[in-house]
mmCIF file of all heavy atoms in Angstrom:
data_model
loop_
_atom_site.group_PDB
_atom_site.id
_atom_site.type_symbol
_atom_site.label_atom_id
_atom_site.label_comp_id
_atom_site.label_asym_id
_atom_site.label_seq_id
_atom_site.Cartn_x
_atom_site.Cartn_y
_atom_site.Cartn_z
ATOM 1 N N ASN A 1044 31.906 34.826 65.987
ATOM 2 C CA ASN A 1044 30.736 35.740 66.050
ATOM 3 C C ASN A 1044 30.804 36.708 67.293
ATOM 4 O O ASN A 1044 29.855 37.405 67.608
ATOM 5 C CB ASN A 1044 29.449 34.946 66.158
ATOM 6 C CG ASN A 1044 29.166 34.189 64.880
ATOM 7 O OD1 ASN A 1044 29.668 34.587 63.828
ATOM 8 N ND2 ASN A 1044 28.455 33.104 64.996
ATOM 9 N N ARG A 1045 31.944 36.726 68.058
ATOM 10 C CA ARG A 1045 32.048 37.596 69.223
ATOM 11 C C ARG A 1045 32.171 39.059 68.778
ATOM 12 O O ARG A 1045 32.424 39.361 67.636
ATOM 13 C CB ARG A 1045 33.266 37.199 70.062
ATOM 14 C CG ARG A 1045 34.584 37.660 69.475
ATOM 15 C CD ARG A 1045 35.770 37.186 70.351
ATOM 16 N NE ARG A 1045 37.015 37.776 69.897
ATOM 17 C CZ ARG A 1045 37.774 37.347 68.865
ATOM 18 N NH1 ARG A 1045 37.308 36.311 68.191
ATOM 19 N NH2 ARG A 1045 38.885 37.993 68.533
ATOM 20 N N HIS A 1046 32.020 39.926 69.764
ATOM 21 C CA HIS A 1046 32.138 41.379 69.483
ATOM 22 C C HIS A 1046 33.598 41.723 69.218
ATOM 23 O O HIS A 1046 34.496 41.133 69.863
ATOM 24 C CB HIS A 1046 31.592 42.212 70.677
ATOM 25 C CG HIS A 1046 31.410 43.629 70.373
ATOM 26 N ND1 HIS A 1046 32.413 44.537 70.498
ATOM 27 C CD2 HIS A 1046 30.278 44.290 69.951
ATOM 28 C CE1 HIS A 1046 31.953 45.721 70.099
ATOM 29 N NE2 HIS A 1046 30.655 45.589 69.779
ATOM 30 N N PRO A 1047 33.887 42.617 68.302
ATOM 31 C CA PRO A 1047 35.332 42.887 68.001
ATOM 32 C C PRO A 1047 36.115 43.353 69.178
ATOM 33 O O PRO A 1047 37.337 43.085 69.230
ATOM 34 C CB PRO A 1047 35.239 43.974 66.887
ATOM 35 C CG PRO A 1047 33.870 43.796 66.281
ATOM 36 C CD PRO A 1047 32.989 43.312 67.404
ATOM 37 N N GLN A 1048 35.530 44.058 70.085
ATOM 38 C CA GLN A 1048 36.230 44.611 71.204
ATOM 39 C C GLN A 1048 36.341 43.601 72.390
ATOM 40 O O GLN A 1048 36.959 43.886 73.409
ATOM 41 C CB GLN A 1048 35.568 45.871 71.731
ATOM 42 C CG GLN A 1048 35.574 47.013 70.707
ATOM 43 C CD GLN A 1048 34.870 48.255 71.244
ATOM 44 O OE1 GLN A 1048 34.312 48.242 72.335
ATOM 45 N NE2 GLN A 1048 34.887 49.313 70.366
ATOM 46 N N GLU A 1049 35.700 42.487 72.220
ATOM 47 C CA GLU A 1049 35.691 41.462 73.301
ATOM 48 C C GLU A 1049 36.763 40.457 73.028
ATOM 49 O O GLU A 1049 36.966 39.988 71.905
ATOM 50 C CB GLU A 1049 34.322 40.787 73.349
ATOM 51 C CG GLU A 1049 34.210 39.836 74.516
ATOM 52 C CD GLU A 1049 32.769 39.235 74.563
ATOM 53 O OE1 GLU A 1049 31.978 39.503 73.668
ATOM 54 O OE2 GLU A 1049 32.464 38.528 75.571
ATOM 55 N N THR A 1050 37.496 40.062 74.096
ATOM 56 C CA THR A 1050 38.593 39.113 73.950
ATOM 57 C C THR A 1050 38.051 37.674 73.833
ATOM 58 O O THR A 1050 36.945 37.398 74.185
ATOM 59 C CB THR A 1050 39.578 39.176 75.140
ATOM 60 O OG1 THR A 1050 38.852 38.859 76.309
ATOM 61 C CG2 THR A 1050 40.141 40.599 75.217
ATOM 62 N N VAL A 1051 38.938 36.779 73.330
ATOM 63 C CA VAL A 1051 38.517 35.372 73.196
ATOM 64 C C VAL A 1051 38.324 34.737 74.525
ATOM 65 O O VAL A 1051 37.418 33.934 74.746
ATOM 66 C CB VAL A 1051 39.591 34.660 72.346
ATOM 67 C CG1 VAL A 1051 39.238 33.133 72.246
ATOM 68 C CG2 VAL A 1051 39.759 35.259 70.968
ATOM 69 N N GLU A 1052 39.218 35.008 75.491
ATOM 70 C CA GLU A 1052 39.094 34.440 76.791
ATOM 71 C C GLU A 1052 37.754 34.778 77.440
ATOM 72 O O GLU A 1052 37.060 33.937 78.006
ATOM 73 C CB GLU A 1052 40.228 34.856 77.739
ATOM 74 C CG GLU A 1052 41.590 34.318 77.323
ATOM 75 C CD GLU A 1052 42.192 35.091 76.163
ATOM 76 O OE1 GLU A 1052 41.540 36.099 75.750
ATOM 77 O OE2 GLU A 1052 43.244 34.659 75.635
ATOM 78 N N LYS A 1053 37.408 36.009 77.379
ATOM 79 C CA LYS A 1053 36.079 36.428 77.949
ATOM 80 C C LYS A 1053 34.932 35.758 77.233
ATOM 81 O O LYS A 1053 33.946 35.310 77.868
ATOM 82 C CB LYS A 1053 35.965 37.950 77.893
ATOM 83 C CG LYS A 1053 34.698 38.454 78.560
ATOM 84 C CD LYS A 1053 34.659 39.990 78.486
ATOM 85 C CE LYS A 1053 33.386 40.479 79.174
ATOM 86 N NZ LYS A 1053 33.279 41.958 79.105
ATOM 87 N N GLN A 1054 35.052 35.637 75.900
ATOM 88 C CA GLN A 1054 34.009 35.001 75.134
ATOM 89 C C GLN A 1054 33.873 33.536 75.559
ATOM 90 O O GLN A 1054 32.753 33.053 75.717
ATOM 91 C CB GLN A 1054 34.319 35.060 73.619
ATOM 92 C CG GLN A 1054 33.335 34.310 72.740
ATOM 93 C CD GLN A 1054 32.000 35.012 72.661
ATOM 94 O OE1 GLN A 1054 31.880 36.226 73.100
ATOM 95 N NE2 GLN A 1054 30.995 34.326 72.185
ATOM 96 N N LEU A 1055 34.952 32.835 75.766
ATOM 97 C CA LEU A 1055 34.900 31.432 76.152
ATOM 98 C C LEU A 1055 34.292 31.270 77.568
ATOM 99 O O LEU A 1055 33.566 30.337 77.855
ATOM 100 C CB LEU A 1055 36.282 30.778 76.109
ATOM 101 C CG LEU A 1055 36.877 30.693 74.687
ATOM 102 C CD1 LEU A 1055 38.304 30.167 74.783
ATOM 103 C CD2 LEU A 1055 36.005 29.745 73.843
ATOM 104 N N VAL A 1056 34.652 32.222 78.475
ATOM 105 C CA VAL A 1056 34.116 32.119 79.853
ATOM 106 C C VAL A 1056 32.622 32.320 79.823
ATOM 107 O O VAL A 1056 31.841 31.595 80.519
ATOM 108 C CB VAL A 1056 34.819 33.179 80.741
ATOM 109 C CG1 VAL A 1056 34.123 33.286 82.136
ATOM 110 C CG2 VAL A 1056 36.296 32.794 80.927
ATOM 111 N N ASP A 1057 32.178 33.293 79.066
ATOM 112 C CA ASP A 1057 30.722 33.520 78.966
ATOM 113 C C ASP A 1057 29.996 32.303 78.365
ATOM 114 O O ASP A 1057 28.907 31.898 78.822
ATOM 115 C CB ASP A 1057 30.472 34.749 78.076
ATOM 116 C CG ASP A 1057 30.915 36.004 78.778
ATOM 117 O OD1 ASP A 1057 31.099 36.000 80.025
ATOM 118 O OD2 ASP A 1057 31.088 37.056 78.041
ATOM 119 N N LEU A 1058 30.549 31.722 77.334
ATOM 120 C CA LEU A 1058 29.930 30.547 76.712
ATOM 121 C C LEU A 1058 29.878 29.393 77.721
ATOM 122 O O LEU A 1058 28.867 28.681 77.811
ATOM 123 C CB LEU A 1058 30.727 30.059 75.508
ATOM 124 C CG LEU A 1058 30.546 30.929 74.236
ATOM 125 C CD1 LEU A 1058 31.448 30.372 73.123
ATOM 126 C CD2 LEU A 1058 29.106 30.839 73.716
ATOM 127 N N GLU A 1059 30.914 29.211 78.442
ATOM 128 C CA GLU A 1059 30.924 28.106 79.441
ATOM 129 C C GLU A 1059 29.856 28.327 80.486
ATOM 130 O O GLU A 1059 29.125 27.399 80.879
ATOM 131 C CB GLU A 1059 32.306 28.044 80.085
ATOM 132 C CG GLU A 1059 32.442 26.926 81.086
ATOM 133 C CD GLU A 1059 33.793 26.883 81.769
ATOM 134 O OE1 GLU A 1059 34.637 27.745 81.421
ATOM 135 O OE2 GLU A 1059 34.037 25.994 82.595
ATOM 136 N N MET A 1060 29.732 29.511 80.986
ATOM 137 C CA MET A 1060 28.731 29.850 81.980
ATOM 138 C C MET A 1060 27.291 29.656 81.435
ATOM 139 O O MET A 1060 26.447 29.079 82.104
ATOM 140 C CB MET A 1060 28.944 31.272 82.499
ATOM 141 C CG MET A 1060 27.975 31.689 83.652
ATOM 142 S SD MET A 1060 28.291 33.318 84.244
ATOM 143 C CE MET A 1060 27.942 34.282 82.776
ATOM 144 N N LYS A 1061 27.073 30.141 80.217
ATOM 145 C CA LYS A 1061 25.750 30.000 79.622
ATOM 146 C C LYS A 1061 25.404 28.526 79.392
ATOM 147 O O LYS A 1061 24.258 28.076 79.720
ATOM 148 C CB LYS A 1061 25.692 30.749 78.332
ATOM 149 C CG LYS A 1061 25.728 32.277 78.475
ATOM 150 C CD LYS A 1061 25.694 32.954 77.114
ATOM 151 C CE LYS A 1061 25.743 34.475 77.279
ATOM 152 N NZ LYS A 1061 25.764 35.149 75.972
ATOM 153 N N LEU A 1062 26.321 27.753 78.912
ATOM 154 C CA LEU A 1062 26.053 26.350 78.698
ATOM 155 C C LEU A 1062 25.799 25.607 79.989
ATOM 156 O O LEU A 1062 24.953 24.738 80.095
ATOM 157 C CB LEU A 1062 27.250 25.641 77.949
ATOM 158 C CG LEU A 1062 27.459 26.124 76.457
ATOM 159 C CD1 LEU A 1062 28.716 25.446 75.921
ATOM 160 C CD2 LEU A 1062 26.213 25.651 75.643
ATOM 161 N N GLN A 1063 26.530 25.991 81.015
ATOM 162 C CA GLN A 1063 26.308 25.301 82.325
ATOM 163 C C GLN A 1063 24.949 25.649 82.897
ATOM 164 O O GLN A 1063 24.217 24.775 83.408
ATOM 165 C CB GLN A 1063 27.415 25.792 83.315
ATOM 166 C CG GLN A 1063 27.365 25.072 84.690
ATOM 167 C CD GLN A 1063 28.506 25.520 85.557
ATOM 168 O OE1 GLN A 1063 29.334 26.311 85.189
ATOM 169 N NE2 GLN A 1063 28.567 24.923 86.745
#
Side-chain angles (χ1 to χ4, degrees):
N1044 294 333
R1045 75 181 189 280
H1046 194 273
Q1048 296 180 356
E1049 188 177 5
T1050 62
V1051 177
E1052 291 79 5
K1053 185 178 181 181
Q1054 176 71 13
L1055 292 176
V1056 171
D1057 292 340
L1058 285 176
E1059 181 182 1
M1060 183 177 63
K1061 291 179 180 178
L1062 289 175
Q1063 185 177 359

